[in-house]
Amino acid sequence: MFPRPAPGHRLATATGLLALLGYLTTGAWADPHVPAPPLRPVAELKAPTRITPVSPAAGSTTPLAAFAIQSTAKVGDSPAAVSSPGYPARGWYPAGPRSTVLAALLAAGVYDDPFRSTNLAKIPKADFEVPWWYRSDFTVADTARRTLLDFSGVVSAADVYVNGRRVAAAREVTGAYTHHELDVTALVRPGVNTVAFRIRPNEPSKDLTIGWLDWLQPPPDRNMGIVRDVLVRRGGPVALRDAHVVTKLAVPSLATADLTVRARARNDSDAPVTAEITGAIGPTRFGGTVRLAAHETRTVTFSPAEVPRLRLAAPRVWWPAGMGGQPLYGLDLTARVSGTVSDTAHESFGIRDVRAPLNAAGARQYRINGRPLLIKGGGWSPDEFLRWDRGYAEDRLRYAVDLGLNTLRLEGHLEPDEFFELADRYGVLTLPGWECCTKWEGQVNGTENGEKWTPADYPVAKASMAAEAARLRDHPSVISFLIGSDFAPDATIEKNYLDALRAAGWNLPVVSAASDKSSPQLGSSGMKMTGPYDWVPPEYWYAKREGGATGFNSETSAGPSIPTLDTLRRMLTPAELDSLWQDPGAKQYHRSPSATFGTLSLYDAALAARYGAPTGLADYVRKAQLAQYENVRAQFEAYGRNATDPQEPATGVIHWMFNSGWTSLHWQLTDRYLDQNGAYFGAKKANEPLHVQYGYDDRTVTVVNNRHTTLRGLSARATLFDPDGTLRYDGTAAGLSVAGDGAHTNALTLPDSVPGLSRTYLLRLVLTDAAGREVSRNVYWLSGEQDTLDWPRTTWWYTPTTGYADLTGLASMARVPVAARATTRSDGGTSTTTVTLRNTTDGRTPSLLTDVHLVDGRGAPVLPVRWSDNEVGLWPGESVTLTAVYRTADLHGAAPRVRVSGWNTPERTVPAPCGSPHWAPCWTATRANRTTASWRSSGTAAG
């Protein structure tokens, strides 16, 4: 994020939600329809009984299944006792294999739901200002093989013990991203063994770990714990490490790809050995021998020069979603000593080419497989308590694809391996990098949080870069690493990072910063971080200045994103809901701890001035959805149209943010429960593959083609209406053609003035293909009174608005009945509900922003769900058919229903029964599948 106000301005509060808090030892969250466990004193808890059986196979990696944790303030026994098998651990808390301290305590029911109201603020911070013990037992049947502990993700540092002996000190195991491998062969015994970590408190301003700034109210434990797997490795005398494949794709032909396989062979024994290394990539086999002295490590390389078959003809090329497929290859390596398997390694990878030079305007322009790519993305947030659930991550990645986004930026908070595996599979590009405003930029950031570095910090930072480079380099979804965020590193830090990246065989672009900064070797970042982060009008995005649609904007949005009423009622108390719409100056705990973003005053002022003062909570929320839809749509449409600007092209935009790590009132396209508001559907509309749109700056009607091929024979029609439906203008442009890969063509320009047109008016755009079929529709609500921006008073977080567009005329729109008919089909655990909407009014008034929500028997949203379209505008007699795809299990045994509402459409709910007598009822199928549902589906929908 961009430089923030001084730390003293931060609030010390927070909020919550979730009966999803059954994270327990498996890391999965409980079904929220099941009551949360009652609060229990420590004495009632019993030590976990899960003991991890370790595979004896050479090359095996077994993750520890669970931990027991306890504060050192409550443990008087010695480290030797705590880390010895048989230690009773009475009164300790169960924790998952990847769990912060607070995540485990929440799962145990120690604290109330932290995502509701201000419950998070009630959790005492003092409990986390001392170290905590993590201990786990594992069994080994055969001690003939070597045994090693392999881990990263310790927040922030730890002393490590095995069977009563310390094997590493906290000064060695420090930093959330550093990778550690400890040889514990001499300590392991047949039967039960114990590993224990004495985790030190996390201080993001002092430690190179993980911190939060103004995204959300920070967790009281500051995420101390172990948030990645602790692996027990077994093997013989020779270990294989760091296996990876460097790919070189022929561009632009894509006809061939050179694969170079590298790995480190390490002799862990006291005697010299000869190891046979064999490998395979699909049907391609290769191998060789390597002689290793005692404890020697050598890099083994197989390239097309030695193995011609590693030059692939007609390779299966990996593409981002919407541009092609996402094929993956697999590398398998085996090391044998005297014919016996000593170790194995496996790595998945994709073949693609990524380049990101600076264009003539100095902006970073990404190209993938030879094609220019407009980065359209969002900022990714993990769960506030760093709880990992693969299914929930997968749901959010599906949403990203559904929105037409191609990229997610991770500012620190780098997720586990599975996240990047899912991104590979779904074709979602990722921009990982270090975070701002903590120790990571303490040496260079001036006034931000983060202390200056000591000599001990430099090797930790370099080791962190080496570990993450090795982990991320083979994922085709990863297209860069940003070694700075708000600030670029100095010469020493940059050199350490670049040396680590080169040593890891990194062959992707490296960017100096996410802001407009430079570093000595890399030079200019080619990115900008000029805001805004709070409310600006839609016109803002079209100005070729500040955060407007030129260059690459690494984090930006109009700030607040008010969730649906369903979500608001889960996260706020009745009194807080009243304050939300009645008091613009009220501190909103669910916005930010920052004084800059602590209220909704800017947003609320604009909402009231443009749409009229809210008359109640429901009116406030419905106006918010209009405002968010138009603003997010304009942001992505402006960048999309300007991608091919001849002078100052737009090359990338990251909406700040894509999602929130908790129940939030700002910076999100989808909320914590995966419900979808105006911001979501505004983004989805703007990013559709073939799109007709309006330019707020020049009144042009433009067709943008994000498909690869040129399209011809298109027709664009633009009609202007008063709010009561009176037609004031009708214009058509026929015979249009538009090239592919983000090109656009201007179809027509709306007149500056239209006789009789009201101050507030509606614009309907319809694009049809050569056969007359509608292929894109877009509805705008506009004003003859324009928003006025005070550009000279621009700050790092917004540009003031001194005059507002008059959209109050929308309040005069007549209530319009919309008929709805819905049916459902279920198959293989997935249901599809088809909804046909029709404006049945006898008058002229259209329905505006008509929303359809899939709900269960209690009226609660069924989430996640992917709609073909939503929040649509319908003129009298018009109809539209929408589809919703979701997991049948998320109905929780209820029959599906659809709830229809809108700006001027009375709310009603209609059944969506299964549409064929040959199909079993959807809700019957739900009961059969219910045991497979996890919190990620149902729990994100209900509280």
Side-chain angles (χ1 to χ4, degrees):
M1 289 290 291
F2 201 77
R4 308 288 196 272
H9 294 291
R10 312 253 194 294
L11 302 180
T13 36
T15 297
L17 144 236
L18 286 177
L20 333 158
L21 295 176
Y23 187 68
L24 297 179
T25 57
T26 64
W29 291 10
D31 187 331
H33 294 272
V34 178
L39 301 185
R40 293 176 291 165
V42 175
E44 292 184 29
L45 294 167
K46 296 182 178 180
T49 57
R50 297 187 67 184
I51 299 177
T52 305
V54 172
S55 170
S60 65
T61 55
T62 304
L64 296 179
F67 289 96
I69 71 169
Q70 183 56 279
S71 168
T72 58
K74 298 181 180 180
V75 178
D77 299 310
S78 68
V82 170
S83 61
S84 294
Y87 180 77
R90 294 189 182 92
W92 288 42
Y93 297 94
R98 310 170 187 177
S99 178
T100 65
V101 172
L102 186 50
L105 298 182
L106 291 170
V110 175
Y111 304 116
D112 287 331
D113 175 2
F115 283 178
R116 180 169 174 80
S117 187
T118 57
N119 288 344
L120 190 62
K122 300 171 186 176
I123 299 175
K125 295 181 180 178
D127 290 351
F128 314 107
E129 293 174 352
V130 299
W132 277 67
W133 278 111
Y134 276 61
R135 74 180 306 280
S136 185
D137 293 329
F138 62 93
T139 59
V140 172
D142 175 15
T143 58
R145 297 194 187 280
R146 306 199 72 81
T147 304
L148 303 100
L149 291 179
D150 185 314
F151 59 91
S152 64
V154 174
V155 183
S156 67
D159 301 293
V160 186
Y161 298 82
V162 172
N163 291 344
R165 296 278 300 276
R166 192 177 77 173
V167 294
R171 66 178 180 276
E172 302 163 306
V173 180
T174 183
Y177 302 107
T178 54
H179 175 247
H180 308 277
E181 188 176 48
L182 307 177
D183 191 334
V184 296
T185 304
L187 298 176
V188 170
R189 64 192 69 170
V192 178
N193 296 267
T194 300
V195 57
F197 294 80
R198 189 175 183 267
I199 308 287
R200 296 193 178 184
N202 183 31
E203 297 184 71
S205 65
K206 298 180 180 181
D207 304 322
L208 289 168
T209 59
I210 293 171
W212 304 90
L213 187 67
D214 48 14
W215 301 5
L216 44 70
Q217 300 290 352
D221 73 337
R222 293 171 294 188
N223 296 134
M224 69 183 297
I226 302 176
V227 297
R228 294 183 183 170
D229 284 336
V230 176
L231 303 173
V232 181
R233 287 182 174 268
R234 305 300 306 283
V238 173
L240 288 175
R241 296 293 183 267
D242 208 31
H244 64 286
V245 181
V246 179
T247 65
K248 185 176 181 180
L249 177 65
V251 174
S253 71
L254 312 185
T256 62
D258 287 353
L259 310 182
T260 300
V261 178
R262 294 195 178 106
R264 287 185 293 114
R266 186 183 70 210
N267 182 3
D268 287 335
S269 74
D270 297 327
V273 297
T274 298
E276 180 189 10
I277 312 296
T278 58
I281 297 175
T284 301
R285 301 287 190 267
F286 48 89
T289 59
V290 58
R291 287 189 56 80
L292 297 168
H295 302 290
E296 180 186 9
T297 299
R298 293 180 61 183
T299 297
V300 179
T301 302
F302 301 97
S303 71
E306 299 87 28
V307 185
R309 286 171 296 175
L310 289 175
R311 170 164 289 172
L312 303 186
R316 294 179 290 120
V317 177
W318 189 95
W319 292 94
M323 296 180 72
Q326 292 79 45
L328 295 173
Y329 289 81
L331 164 69
D332 290 293
L333 289 178
T334 301
R336 291 178 174 85
V337 176
S338 300
T340 301
V341 173
S342 180
D343 203 2
T344 62
H346 175 80
E347 189 76 5
S348 294
F349 65 97
I351 297 174
R352 50 89 180 92
D353 178 86
V354 178
R355 302 179 192 183
L358 302 184
N359 64 15
R364 194 158 299 272
Q365 173 68 71
Y366 280 84
R367 300 180 67 87
I368 188 157
N369 302 333
R371 291 193 207 169
L373 179 70
L374 172 66
I375 296 293
K376 296 183 292 184
W380 176 270
S381 175
D383 170 71
E384 172 167 5
F385 310 114
L386 304 186
R387 295 169 294 193
W388 171 256
D389 184 284
R390 180 185 176 90
Y392 184 51
E394 188 169 9
D395 288 337
R396 287 179 286 169
L397 287 168
R398 284 172 172 163
Y399 269 12
V401 174
D402 182 56
L403 286 174
L405 303 181
N406 55 32
T407 305
L408 293 170
R409 179 185 165 212
L410 289 78
E411 186 193 8
H413 305 85
L414 304 179
E415 293 278 35
D417 295 344
E418 294 97 321
F419 172 84
F420 296 97
E421 291 168 4
L422 289 168
D424 294 343
R425 196 171 80 188
Y426 284 101
V428 178
L429 302 174
T430 61
L431 287 173
W434 301 128
E435 66 187 55
C436 84
C437 319
T438 62
K439 186 61 175 279
W440 283 104
E441 293 185 341
Q443 186 65 20
V444 294
N445 68 11
T447 60
E448 293 290 337
N449 284 342
E451 296 183 355
K452 296 294 184 182
W453 286 23
T454 68
D457 292 316
Y458 291 88
V460 173
K462 184 175 182 180
S464 299
M465 186 73 265
E468 288 305 294
R471 191 171 73 95
L472 300 177
R473 64 196 163 195
D474 276 356
H475 289 286
S477 59
V478 177
I479 58 169
S480 271
F481 199 94
L482 280 66
I483 59 173
S485 178
D486 294 21
F487 298 91
D490 64 19
T492 301
I493 298 172
E494 179 193 41
K495 181 180 185 303
N496 286 342
Y497 286 155
L498 294 179
D499 286 349
L501 287 160
R502 278 191 288 267
W506 188 266
N507 66 344
L508 296 169
V510 182
V511 181
S512 57
S515 63
D516 185 14
K517 303 290 185 182
S518 299
S519 58
Q521 292 188 53
L522 295 174
S524 172
S525 69
M527 295 187 176
K528 65 180 182 179
M529 195 186 282
T530 47
Y533 298 95
D534 212 327
W535 191 84
V536 291
E539 291 93 327
Y540 175 96
W541 303 108
Y542 289 86
K544 292 186 177 181
R545 57 180 299 174
E546 310 301 340
T550 62
F552 194 119
N553 199 336
S554 69
E555 51 182 60
T556 185
S557 75
S561 180
I562 305 302
T564 63
L565 267 173
D566 298 289
T567 290
L568 288 170
R569 286 169 174 155
R570 293 190 192 102
M571 61 188 270
L572 301 177
T573 65
E576 290 164 340
L577 290 171
D578 287 342
S579 173
L580 179 65
W581 72 271
Q582 292 176 350
D583 187 358
K587 296 290 185 182
Q588 294 293 342
Y589 187 70
H590 284 264
R591 181 139 197 233
S592 173
S594 162
T596 302
F597 304 117
T599 75
L600 291 165
S601 55
L602 285 175
Y603 178 84
D604 287 353
L607 205 65
R610 299 173 91 243
Y611 289 103
T615 58
L617 176 64
D619 186 55
Y620 177 81
V621 173
R622 75 180 188 128
K623 287 172 176 171
Q625 303 319 310
L626 280 175
Q628 288 153 196
Y629 189 107
E630 65 164 344
N631 209 306
V632 174
R633 175 178 59 182
Q635 178 179 344
F636 281 108
E637 284 182 340
Y639 273 83
R641 188 196 70 179
N642 287 0
T644 51
D645 184 89
Q647 278 78 44
E648 297 179 277
T651 61
V653 60
I654 301 294
H655 184 279
W656 201 253
M657 298 178 67
F658 169 68
N659 68 300
S660 180
W662 82 321
T663 43
S664 179
L665 296 171
H666 74 163
W667 297 342
Q668 57 190 357
L669 294 176
T670 176
D671 69 32
R672 177 62 202 177
Y673 308 112
L674 301 182
D675 206 353
Q676 302 149 321
N677 64 2
Y680 185 98
F681 290 112
K684 181 176 173 68
K685 176 58 64 176
N687 294 322
E688 61 187 355
L690 180 62
H691 181 61
V692 61
Q693 66 185 58
Y694 169 74
Y696 282 84
D697 58 338
D698 58 10
R699 301 179 64 80
T700 56
V701 175
T702 300
V703 180
V704 179
N705 181 13
N706 291 309
R707 296 169 180 168
H708 184 50
T709 57
T710 297
L711 297 174
R712 296 179 175 83
L714 303 174
S715 296
R717 183 184 181 190
T719 42
L720 297 176
F721 299 86
D722 291 342
D724 67 0
T726 301
L727 177 64
R728 297 295 186 182
Y729 170 83
D730 192 342
T732 299
L736 301 172
S737 63
V738 56
D741 294 333
H744 74 271
T745 188
N746 291 336
L748 55 106
T749 301
L750 300 183
D752 291 334
S753 63
V754 175
L757 188 65
S758 62
R759 181 184 292 265
T760 302
Y761 59 95
L762 302 174
L763 167 63
R764 180 183 62 187
L765 302 179
V766 176
L767 184 70
T768 54
D769 64 13
R773 294 183 295 260
E774 182 177 303
V775 290
S776 178
R777 165 182 286 241
N778 212 345
V779 176
Y780 295 80
W781 39 103
L782 302 168
S783 172
E785 186 88 14
Q786 299 301 305
D787 295 290
T788 304
L789 288 154
D790 188 356
W791 291 105
R793 292 175 57 214
T794 296
T795 69
W796 65 265
W797 49 288
Y798 88 117
T799 297
T801 304
T802 57
Y804 295 97
D806 182 5
L807 299 171
T808 57
L810 297 178
S812 67
M813 295 180 70
R815 303 279 276 175
V816 171
V818 173
R821 180 169 51 85
T823 59
T824 300
R825 294 174 65 91
S826 298
D827 185 24
T830 298
S831 289
T832 300
T833 293
T834 302
V835 184
T836 299
L837 304 176
R838 185 178 182 84
N839 182 334
T840 58
T841 181
D842 293 331
R844 298 176 302 189
T845 305
S847 66
L848 183 63
L849 212 73
T850 303
D851 177 88
V852 185
H853 255 70
L854 185 77
V855 297
D856 63 17
R858 302 174 307 150
V862 176
L863 300 169
V865 60
R866 295 189 303 284
W867 287 95
S868 58
D869 195 6
N870 212 326
E871 301 196 341
V872 297
L874 292 173
W875 267 251
E878 286 186 335
S879 63
V880 64
T881 298
L882 312 175
T883 57
V885 180
Y886 53 97
R887 284 186 287 267
T888 308
D890 291 343
L891 290 166
H892 299 286
R897 300 187 297 165
V898 293
R899 184 180 68 209
V900 181
S901 62
W903 172 256
N904 60 326
T905 300
E907 182 178 311
R908 62 187 299 232
T909 301
V910 300
C914 285
S916 169
H918 302 293
W919 288 73
C922 309
W923 45 99
T924 300
T926 298
R927 292 193 183 99
N929 294 332
R930 187 168 184 175
T931 57
T932 66
S934 76
W935 79 271
R936 64 182 181 266
S937 53
S938 58
T940 52

